[in-house]
Amino acid sequence: MRRRSLLLATLPAGLVTLAGCGDSGSGKSKTGTSPSPSAPATAPSAAPPPKIVEAPLPAITAGTKFGEKPTVAKGPGAPSKDLAVKSVIAGGGQIVAENDYIQAHYLGQIWDTAKVFDNSYDRKTPLVIQLAQGGIIDGWRYALQGKKVGSRVLMAVPPTWGYGSQGNTQAGIKGSDTLVFVVDIQNSFNAKSSAKGKDVAQNDAKLPKVGTNTDGKAPSIDVPKVKPPTGLVANYVIEGSGDQVAADSTVLVQYKGVLWDTGKEFDSTYGRGQLTSFSLQQVVKGWAEGLTGKKVGSRVLIVIPPKLGYGDNPPQGSGIKKDSTLVFSVDILAKM
């Protein structure tokens, strides 16, 4: 059984958690009530992989550059019953694979009417979502695999690989509607992703020293043999250049946690080979306070005293004793 992570402030039933930092967010919108490409709340029965064709597809008539909000014409005649996909702009970045997270701007509209039902350009906030079965409509999952970061992808998604026969009533999508999407892939993240930025000097001999490798492997955490600090420590190890994390942000991270007393690792995304996303409103206070204000792209050392961690009530089976000081290395990959 796959081991869940350890950080949320409330424990999901049956899970060992760090009050369970988890995979609960996945970057997706609330399903069934959002017109975003998240999977429908009541997913249709698993459809076979689609045949991917290049046409027919409507024309992009304005906003033709990568990152610009596009205007897309109405579908030309009847849509294909297959998944139509075209790279309108071919990027030169990392290749996207299934189960990767992508960061992308997108616009979605209905084939027959050209009615736009959702777009991220107006919100000025790209979507971060995992290309995983059950987390996103299958049309996106199949269409975007193999594409490169920097690409603009135009696709027409039949109901079979969209919202199924139930459609999405809030978005005005009928069960018979073929959907047209333009997707600008800005970035992608997987289990080998790391912080990107400038190394920051770690000169305090009374604090743990964290490795600065950015090869996707877990950084070392060397804890000094001294008494732990009584207050929260949240220091840059690598300082990124992205947006600052807000107190209510949801973030995508790599992390590793060890005990101050022993240096023993008790939780790690690296060991699971799987990134984690969570809201800072769901995690223990030390995480929430330590990451607020930090920049996306950074690696942060967080030392959490018991009063901001688990205190005298650590998660059962976690290997964390009462009143333990916890040490984390956290790579902030994206805001979601």
Side-chain angles (χ1 to χ4, degrees):
M1 179 180 294
R2 182 174 63 84
R3 180 171 174 260
R4 281 273 298 228
S5 56
L6 289 185
L7 281 163
L8 299 179
T10 57
L11 294 175
L15 297 175
V16 176
T17 56
L18 212 212
C21 178
D23 323 315
S24 55
S26 298
K28 54 197 178 192
S29 304
K30 293 180 181 178
T31 55
T33 61
S34 170
S36 81
S38 299
T42 307
S45 57
K51 178 182 178 182
I52 295 179
V53 297
E54 293 186 352
L57 285 165
I60 300 175
T61 58
T64 57
K65 295 180 180 179
F66 183 86
E68 289 183 340
K69 180 184 176 181
T71 300
V72 184
K74 194 168 111 173
S80 175
K81 295 187 182 301
D82 298 315
L83 178 62
V85 182
K86 182 179 180 181
S87 291
V88 180
I89 298 171
Q94 179 175 309
I95 296 173
V96 175
E98 184 168 13
N99 293 316
D100 284 358
Y101 287 81
I102 61 165
Q103 178 175 293
H105 269 304
Y106 70 95
L107 178 140
Q109 68 183 47
I110 296 171
W111 176 281
D112 288 335
T113 64
K115 178 187 174 184
V116 174
F117 57 82
D118 191 28
N119 87 90
S120 64
Y121 301 92
D122 288 347
R123 293 190 292 271
K124 303 187 185 304
T125 302
L127 175 73
V128 178
I129 197 165
Q130 189 177 21
L131 295 183
Q133 186 173 18
I136 193 169
I137 59 172
D138 282 339
W140 273 51
R141 193 162 62 90
Y142 288 112
L144 299 181
Q145 287 180 49
K147 299 297 187 288
K148 293 183 178 180
V149 171
S151 296
R152 166 167 281 192
V153 181
L154 175 64
M155 68 178 91
V157 181
T160 301
W161 297 283
Y163 289 99
S165 59
Q166 76 269 32
N168 185 313
T169 54
Q170 184 188 11
I173 298 170
K174 302 191 298 291
S176 58
D177 283 335
T178 289
L179 309 179
V180 177
F181 290 97
V182 177
V183 182
D184 288 337
I185 308 172
Q186 295 183 327
N187 210 339
S188 69
F189 309 95
N190 58 34
K192 295 182 179 180
S193 296
S194 292
K196 294 180 180 179
K198 181 179 179 181
D199 292 0
V200 176
Q202 302 177 70
N203 297 325
D204 192 336
K206 295 181 179 180
L207 291 178
K209 188 170 183 179
V210 178
T212 56
N213 58 296
T214 56
D215 54 2
K217 296 179 181 179
S220 58
I221 302 178
D222 296 323
V223 182
K225 297 187 180 303
V226 297
K227 288 185 177 181
T230 57
L232 177 70
V233 174
N235 295 342
Y236 284 121
V237 175
I238 297 173
E239 185 172 358
S241 58
D243 293 341
Q244 288 187 333
V245 174
D248 60 351
S249 291
T250 294
V251 291
L252 180 68
V253 301
Q254 287 264 42
Y255 73 89
K256 173 181 171 181
V258 304
L259 300 172
W260 181 285
D261 287 345
T262 64
K264 182 180 178 182
E265 179 181 310
F266 60 85
D267 194 21
S268 170
T269 55
Y270 302 94
R272 291 191 297 278
Q274 196 169 49
L275 303 180
T276 284
S277 62
F278 55 82
S279 166
L280 292 192
Q281 295 179 320
Q282 292 178 291
V283 294
V284 293
K285 287 183 178 180
W287 263 68
E289 294 179 12
L291 293 184
T292 297
K294 295 297 189 286
K295 298 175 187 175
V296 171
S298 299
R299 175 171 296 166
V300 182
L301 163 69
I302 305 180
V303 181
I304 303 179
K307 63 184 178 183
L308 296 178
Y310 296 114
D312 62 358
N313 188 29
Q316 202 169 22
S318 65
I320 301 171
K321 296 179 180 179
K322 292 181 179 180
D323 298 320
S324 289
T325 295
L326 310 177
V327 182
F328 289 95
S329 169
V330 184
D331 283 14
I332 310 169
L333 303 178
K335 280 201 324 185
M336 305 179 71

PDB file of all heavy atoms in Angstrom, residues 140-164:
ATOM      1  N   TRP A 140      -7.607  15.849 -21.801  1.00  0.00           N
ATOM      2  CA  TRP A 140      -6.349  16.539 -21.461  1.00  0.00           C
ATOM      3  C   TRP A 140      -5.245  15.516 -21.207  1.00  0.00           C
ATOM      4  O   TRP A 140      -4.106  15.706 -21.647  1.00  0.00           O
ATOM      5  CB  TRP A 140      -6.551  17.387 -20.208  1.00  0.00           C
ATOM      6  CG  TRP A 140      -7.077  18.753 -20.443  1.00  0.00           C
ATOM      7  CD1 TRP A 140      -8.178  19.095 -21.178  1.00  0.00           C
ATOM      8  CD2 TRP A 140      -6.528  19.965 -19.949  1.00  0.00           C
ATOM      9  NE1 TRP A 140      -8.359  20.443 -21.149  1.00  0.00           N
ATOM     10  CE2 TRP A 140      -7.359  21.011 -20.403  1.00  0.00           C
ATOM     11  CE3 TRP A 140      -5.444  20.287 -19.147  1.00  0.00           C
ATOM     12  CZ2 TRP A 140      -7.133  22.351 -20.095  1.00  0.00           C
ATOM     13  CZ3 TRP A 140      -5.209  21.613 -18.830  1.00  0.00           C
ATOM     14  CH2 TRP A 140      -6.042  22.641 -19.301  1.00  0.00           C
ATOM     15  N   ARG A 141      -5.574  14.472 -20.480  1.00  0.00           N
ATOM     16  CA  ARG A 141      -4.553  13.493 -20.089  1.00  0.00           C
ATOM     17  C   ARG A 141      -3.892  12.876 -21.325  1.00  0.00           C
ATOM     18  O   ARG A 141      -2.665  12.725 -21.379  1.00  0.00           O
ATOM     19  CB  ARG A 141      -5.220  12.415 -19.234  1.00  0.00           C
ATOM     20  CG  ARG A 141      -4.265  11.502 -18.502  1.00  0.00           C
ATOM     21  CD  ARG A 141      -4.972  10.774 -17.380  1.00  0.00           C
ATOM     22  NE  ARG A 141      -6.035   9.908 -17.844  1.00  0.00           N
ATOM     23  CZ  ARG A 141      -5.877   8.622 -18.180  1.00  0.00           C
ATOM     24  NH1 ARG A 141      -4.678   8.075 -18.122  1.00  0.00           N
ATOM     25  NH2 ARG A 141      -6.896   7.901 -18.563  1.00  0.00           N
ATOM     26  N   TYR A 142      -4.699  12.532 -22.320  1.00  0.00           N
ATOM     27  CA  TYR A 142      -4.140  11.915 -23.526  1.00  0.00           C
ATOM     28  C   TYR A 142      -3.534  12.944 -24.473  1.00  0.00           C
ATOM     29  O   TYR A 142      -2.508  12.685 -25.103  1.00  0.00           O
ATOM     30  CB  TYR A 142      -5.223  11.109 -24.248  1.00  0.00           C
ATOM     31  CG  TYR A 142      -5.611   9.833 -23.541  1.00  0.00           C
ATOM     32  CD1 TYR A 142      -6.867   9.690 -22.962  1.00  0.00           C
ATOM     33  CD2 TYR A 142      -4.723   8.763 -23.445  1.00  0.00           C
ATOM     34  CE1 TYR A 142      -7.234   8.519 -22.311  1.00  0.00           C
ATOM     35  CE2 TYR A 142      -5.075   7.589 -22.794  1.00  0.00           C
ATOM     36  CZ  TYR A 142      -6.337   7.469 -22.224  1.00  0.00           C
ATOM     37  OH  TYR A 142      -6.690   6.309 -21.572  1.00  0.00           O
ATOM     38  N   ALA A 143      -4.149  14.122 -24.576  1.00  0.00           N
ATOM     39  CA  ALA A 143      -3.686  15.110 -25.553  1.00  0.00           C
ATOM     40  C   ALA A 143      -2.356  15.737 -25.177  1.00  0.00           C
ATOM     41  O   ALA A 143      -1.562  16.096 -26.055  1.00  0.00           O
ATOM     42  CB  ALA A 143      -4.736  16.196 -25.724  1.00  0.00           C
ATOM     43  N   LEU A 144      -2.093  15.894 -23.891  1.00  0.00           N
ATOM     44  CA  LEU A 144      -0.915  16.643 -23.462  1.00  0.00           C
ATOM     45  C   LEU A 144       0.307  15.771 -23.190  1.00  0.00           C
ATOM     46  O   LEU A 144       1.421  16.273 -23.092  1.00  0.00           O
ATOM     47  CB  LEU A 144      -1.255  17.477 -22.225  1.00  0.00           C
ATOM     48  CG  LEU A 144      -2.352  18.527 -22.439  1.00  0.00           C
ATOM     49  CD1 LEU A 144      -2.597  19.310 -21.155  1.00  0.00           C
ATOM     50  CD2 LEU A 144      -2.006  19.466 -23.590  1.00  0.00           C
ATOM     51  N   GLN A 145       0.107  14.453 -23.048  1.00  0.00           N
ATOM     52  CA  GLN A 145       1.255  13.571 -22.878  1.00  0.00           C
ATOM     53  C   GLN A 145       2.161  13.665 -24.109  1.00  0.00           C
ATOM     54  O   GLN A 145       1.695  13.623 -25.240  1.00  0.00           O
ATOM     55  CB  GLN A 145       0.804  12.127 -22.714  1.00  0.00           C
ATOM     56  CG  GLN A 145       0.167  11.806 -21.390  1.00  0.00           C
ATOM     57  CD  GLN A 145      -0.240  10.349 -21.314  1.00  0.00           C
ATOM     58  OE1 GLN A 145       0.552   9.465 -21.624  1.00  0.00           O
ATOM     59  NE2 GLN A 145      -1.485  10.089 -20.903  1.00  0.00           N
ATOM     60  N   GLY A 146       3.447  13.796 -23.876  1.00  0.00           N
ATOM     61  CA  GLY A 146       4.399  13.848 -24.978  1.00  0.00           C
ATOM     62  C   GLY A 146       4.644  15.237 -25.520  1.00  0.00           C
ATOM     63  O   GLY A 146       5.561  15.439 -26.317  1.00  0.00           O
ATOM     64  N   LYS A 147       3.832  16.222 -25.104  1.00  0.00           N
ATOM     65  CA  LYS A 147       4.046  17.599 -25.541  1.00  0.00           C
ATOM     66  C   LYS A 147       5.150  18.230 -24.683  1.00  0.00           C
ATOM     67  O   LYS A 147       5.411  17.800 -23.560  1.00  0.00           O
ATOM     68  CB  LYS A 147       2.756  18.404 -25.429  1.00  0.00           C
ATOM     69  CG  LYS A 147       1.619  17.855 -26.295  1.00  0.00           C
ATOM     70  CD  LYS A 147       1.973  17.928 -27.762  1.00  0.00           C
ATOM     71  CE  LYS A 147       0.810  17.557 -28.665  1.00  0.00           C
ATOM     72  NZ  LYS A 147       0.485  16.120 -28.658  1.00  0.00           N
ATOM     73  N   LYS A 148       5.760  19.286 -25.200  1.00  0.00           N
ATOM     74  CA  LYS A 148       6.863  19.930 -24.498  1.00  0.00           C
ATOM     75  C   LYS A 148       6.413  21.236 -23.858  1.00  0.00           C
ATOM     76  O   LYS A 148       5.532  21.919 -24.369  1.00  0.00           O
ATOM     77  CB  LYS A 148       8.020  20.194 -25.460  1.00  0.00           C
ATOM     78  CG  LYS A 148       8.695  18.937 -25.970  1.00  0.00           C
ATOM     79  CD  LYS A 148       9.882  19.284 -26.864  1.00  0.00           C
ATOM     80  CE  LYS A 148      10.598  18.024 -27.348  1.00  0.00           C
ATOM     81  NZ  LYS A 148      11.763  18.365 -28.214  1.00  0.00           N
ATOM     82  N   VAL A 149       7.036  21.546 -22.730  1.00  0.00           N
ATOM     83  CA  VAL A 149       6.803  22.843 -22.094  1.00  0.00           C
ATOM     84  C   VAL A 149       7.120  23.938 -23.104  1.00  0.00           C
ATOM     85  O   VAL A 149       8.108  23.862 -23.841  1.00  0.00           O
ATOM     86  CB  VAL A 149       7.675  22.993 -20.835  1.00  0.00           C
ATOM     87  CG1 VAL A 149       7.611  24.418 -20.296  1.00  0.00           C
ATOM     88  CG2 VAL A 149       7.225  22.003 -19.767  1.00  0.00           C
ATOM     89  N   GLY A 150       6.262  24.958 -23.152  1.00  0.00           N
ATOM     90  CA  GLY A 150       6.396  26.016 -24.146  1.00  0.00           C
ATOM     91  C   GLY A 150       5.473  25.826 -25.328  1.00  0.00           C
ATOM     92  O   GLY A 150       5.402  26.688 -26.213  1.00  0.00           O
ATOM     93  N   SER A 151       4.736  24.705 -25.349  1.00  0.00           N
ATOM     94  CA  SER A 151       3.826  24.422 -26.458  1.00  0.00           C
ATOM     95  C   SER A 151       2.445  25.030 -26.221  1.00  0.00           C
ATOM     96  O   SER A 151       1.977  25.113 -25.080  1.00  0.00           O
ATOM     97  CB  SER A 151       3.668  22.913 -26.649  1.00  0.00           C
ATOM     98  OG  SER A 151       4.884  22.303 -27.017  1.00  0.00           O
ATOM     99  N   ARG A 152       1.802  25.431 -27.309  1.00  0.00           N
ATOM    100  CA  ARG A 152       0.371  25.758 -27.306  1.00  0.00           C
ATOM    101  C   ARG A 152      -0.334  24.607 -28.010  1.00  0.00           C
ATOM    102  O   ARG A 152      -0.036  24.312 -29.174  1.00  0.00           O
ATOM    103  CB  ARG A 152       0.090  27.083 -28.009  1.00  0.00           C
ATOM    104  CG  ARG A 152      -1.393  27.302 -28.320  1.00  0.00           C
ATOM    105  CD  ARG A 152      -1.736  28.721 -28.723  1.00  0.00           C
ATOM    106  NE  ARG A 152      -1.822  29.574 -27.541  1.00  0.00           N
ATOM    107  CZ  ARG A 152      -2.339  30.812 -27.568  1.00  0.00           C
ATOM    108  NH1 ARG A 152      -2.796  31.330 -28.709  1.00  0.00           N
ATOM    109  NH2 ARG A 152      -2.405  31.529 -26.462  1.00  0.00           N
ATOM    110  N   VAL A 153      -1.269  23.996 -27.312  1.00  0.00           N
ATOM    111  CA  VAL A 153      -1.965  22.817 -27.832  1.00  0.00           C
ATOM    112  C   VAL A 153      -3.433  23.162 -28.021  1.00  0.00           C
ATOM    113  O   VAL A 153      -4.090  23.674 -27.108  1.00  0.00           O
ATOM    114  CB  VAL A 153      -1.805  21.612 -26.880  1.00  0.00           C
ATOM    115  CG1 VAL A 153      -2.515  20.385 -27.442  1.00  0.00           C
ATOM    116  CG2 VAL A 153      -0.320  21.307 -26.650  1.00  0.00           C
ATOM    117  N   LEU A 154      -3.954  22.850 -29.200  1.00  0.00           N
ATOM    118  CA  LEU A 154      -5.377  23.008 -29.521  1.00  0.00           C
ATOM    119  C   LEU A 154      -5.975  21.623 -29.593  1.00  0.00           C
ATOM    120  O   LEU A 154      -5.413  20.735 -30.257  1.00  0.00           O
ATOM    121  CB  LEU A 154      -5.517  23.738 -30.859  1.00  0.00           C
ATOM    122  CG  LEU A 154      -6.917  23.898 -31.450  1.00  0.00           C
ATOM    123  CD1 LEU A 154      -7.798  24.761 -30.559  1.00  0.00           C
ATOM    124  CD2 LEU A 154      -6.832  24.492 -32.865  1.00  0.00           C
ATOM    125  N   MET A 155      -7.080  21.423 -28.908  1.00  0.00           N
ATOM    126  CA  MET A 155      -7.703  20.088 -28.914  1.00  0.00           C
ATOM    127  C   MET A 155      -9.220  20.195 -28.961  1.00  0.00           C
ATOM    128  O   MET A 155      -9.804  21.187 -28.509  1.00  0.00           O
ATOM    129  CB  MET A 155      -7.264  19.289 -27.684  1.00  0.00           C
ATOM    130  CG  MET A 155      -7.791  19.816 -26.367  1.00  0.00           C
ATOM    131  SD  MET A 155      -7.293  18.817 -24.926  1.00  0.00           S
ATOM    132  CE  MET A 155      -5.772  19.650 -24.459  1.00  0.00           C
ATOM    133  N   ALA A 156      -9.847  19.163 -29.527  1.00  0.00           N
ATOM    134  CA  ALA A 156     -11.305  19.022 -29.516  1.00  0.00           C
ATOM    135  C   ALA A 156     -11.629  17.700 -28.839  1.00  0.00           C
ATOM    136  O   ALA A 156     -11.204  16.625 -29.306  1.00  0.00           O
ATOM    137  CB  ALA A 156     -11.863  19.056 -30.935  1.00  0.00           C
ATOM    138  N   VAL A 157     -12.348  17.776 -27.726  1.00  0.00           N
ATOM    139  CA  VAL A 157     -12.558  16.623 -26.853  1.00  0.00           C
ATOM    140  C   VAL A 157     -14.019  16.168 -26.927  1.00  0.00           C
ATOM    141  O   VAL A 157     -14.923  16.875 -26.469  1.00  0.00           O
ATOM    142  CB  VAL A 157     -12.204  16.982 -25.387  1.00  0.00           C
ATOM    143  CG1 VAL A 157     -12.400  15.763 -24.490  1.00  0.00           C
ATOM    144  CG2 VAL A 157     -10.784  17.521 -25.281  1.00  0.00           C
ATOM    145  N   PRO A 158     -14.284  14.984 -27.502  1.00  0.00           N
ATOM    146  CA  PRO A 158     -15.648  14.455 -27.508  1.00  0.00           C
ATOM    147  C   PRO A 158     -16.102  14.114 -26.085  1.00  0.00           C
ATOM    148  O   PRO A 158     -15.266  13.955 -25.174  1.00  0.00           O
ATOM    149  CB  PRO A 158     -15.532  13.192 -28.367  1.00  0.00           C
ATOM    150  CG  PRO A 158     -14.231  13.317 -29.099  1.00  0.00           C
ATOM    151  CD  PRO A 158     -13.337  14.120 -28.199  1.00  0.00           C
ATOM    152  N   PRO A 159     -17.409  13.981 -25.866  1.00  0.00           N
ATOM    153  CA  PRO A 159     -17.907  13.695 -24.508  1.00  0.00           C
ATOM    154  C   PRO A 159     -17.272  12.476 -23.848  1.00  0.00           C
ATOM    155  O   PRO A 159     -17.068  12.461 -22.642  1.00  0.00           O
ATOM    156  CB  PRO A 159     -19.407  13.481 -24.731  1.00  0.00           C
ATOM    157  CG  PRO A 159     -19.721  14.228 -25.978  1.00  0.00           C
ATOM    158  CD  PRO A 159     -18.503  14.135 -26.840  1.00  0.00           C
ATOM    159  N   THR A 160     -16.941  11.463 -24.655  1.00  0.00           N
ATOM    160  CA  THR A 160     -16.370  10.226 -24.095  1.00  0.00           C
ATOM    161  C   THR A 160     -15.131  10.505 -23.261  1.00  0.00           C
ATOM    162  O   THR A 160     -14.900   9.868 -22.237  1.00  0.00           O
ATOM    163  CB  THR A 160     -16.011   9.242 -25.227  1.00  0.00           C
ATOM    164  OG1 THR A 160     -17.198   8.954 -25.967  1.00  0.00           O
ATOM    165  CG2 THR A 160     -15.438   7.933 -24.663  1.00  0.00           C
ATOM    166  N   TRP A 161     -14.333  11.490 -23.701  1.00  0.00           N
ATOM    167  CA  TRP A 161     -13.086  11.813 -22.990  1.00  0.00           C
ATOM    168  C   TRP A 161     -13.161  13.189 -22.332  1.00  0.00           C
ATOM    169  O   TRP A 161     -12.148  13.776 -21.966  1.00  0.00           O
ATOM    170  CB  TRP A 161     -11.904  11.716 -23.948  1.00  0.00           C
ATOM    171  CG  TRP A 161     -11.753  10.312 -24.458  1.00  0.00           C
ATOM    172  CD1 TRP A 161     -11.226   9.242 -23.803  1.00  0.00           C
ATOM    173  CD2 TRP A 161     -12.193   9.813 -25.719  1.00  0.00           C
ATOM    174  NE1 TRP A 161     -11.300   8.112 -24.564  1.00  0.00           N
ATOM    175  CE2 TRP A 161     -11.894   8.428 -25.760  1.00  0.00           C
ATOM    176  CE3 TRP A 161     -12.822  10.395 -26.829  1.00  0.00           C
ATOM    177  CZ2 TRP A 161     -12.195   7.625 -26.857  1.00  0.00           C
ATOM    178  CZ3 TRP A 161     -13.118   9.592 -27.924  1.00  0.00           C
ATOM    179  CH2 TRP A 161     -12.806   8.229 -27.935  1.00  0.00           C
ATOM    180  N   GLY A 162     -14.410  13.673 -22.181  1.00  0.00           N
ATOM    181  CA  GLY A 162     -14.644  14.944 -21.510  1.00  0.00           C
ATOM    182  C   GLY A 162     -15.455  14.730 -20.251  1.00  0.00           C
ATOM    183  O   GLY A 162     -15.019  14.031 -19.333  1.00  0.00           O
ATOM    184  N   TYR A 163     -16.663  15.287 -20.229  1.00  0.00           N
ATOM    185  CA  TYR A 163     -17.508  15.173 -19.035  1.00  0.00           C
ATOM    186  C   TYR A 163     -18.551  14.077 -19.154  1.00  0.00           C
ATOM    187  O   TYR A 163     -19.439  13.965 -18.306  1.00  0.00           O
ATOM    188  CB  TYR A 163     -18.170  16.530 -18.741  1.00  0.00           C
ATOM    189  CG  TYR A 163     -17.181  17.547 -18.245  1.00  0.00           C
ATOM    190  CD1 TYR A 163     -16.645  18.493 -19.118  1.00  0.00           C
ATOM    191  CD2 TYR A 163     -16.737  17.540 -16.933  1.00  0.00           C
ATOM    192  CE1 TYR A 163     -15.709  19.414 -18.684  1.00  0.00           C
ATOM    193  CE2 TYR A 163     -15.798  18.463 -16.493  1.00  0.00           C
ATOM    194  CZ  TYR A 163     -15.301  19.396 -17.373  1.00  0.00           C
ATOM    195  OH  TYR A 163     -14.363  20.295 -16.936  1.00  0.00           O
ATOM    196  N   GLY A 164     -18.465  13.258 -20.200  1.00  0.00           N
ATOM    197  CA  GLY A 164     -19.375  12.134 -20.335  1.00  0.00           C
ATOM    198  C   GLY A 164     -20.805  12.572 -20.630  1.00  0.00           C
ATOM    199  O   GLY A 164     -21.082  13.737 -20.911  1.00  0.00           O
TER     200      GLY A 164
END
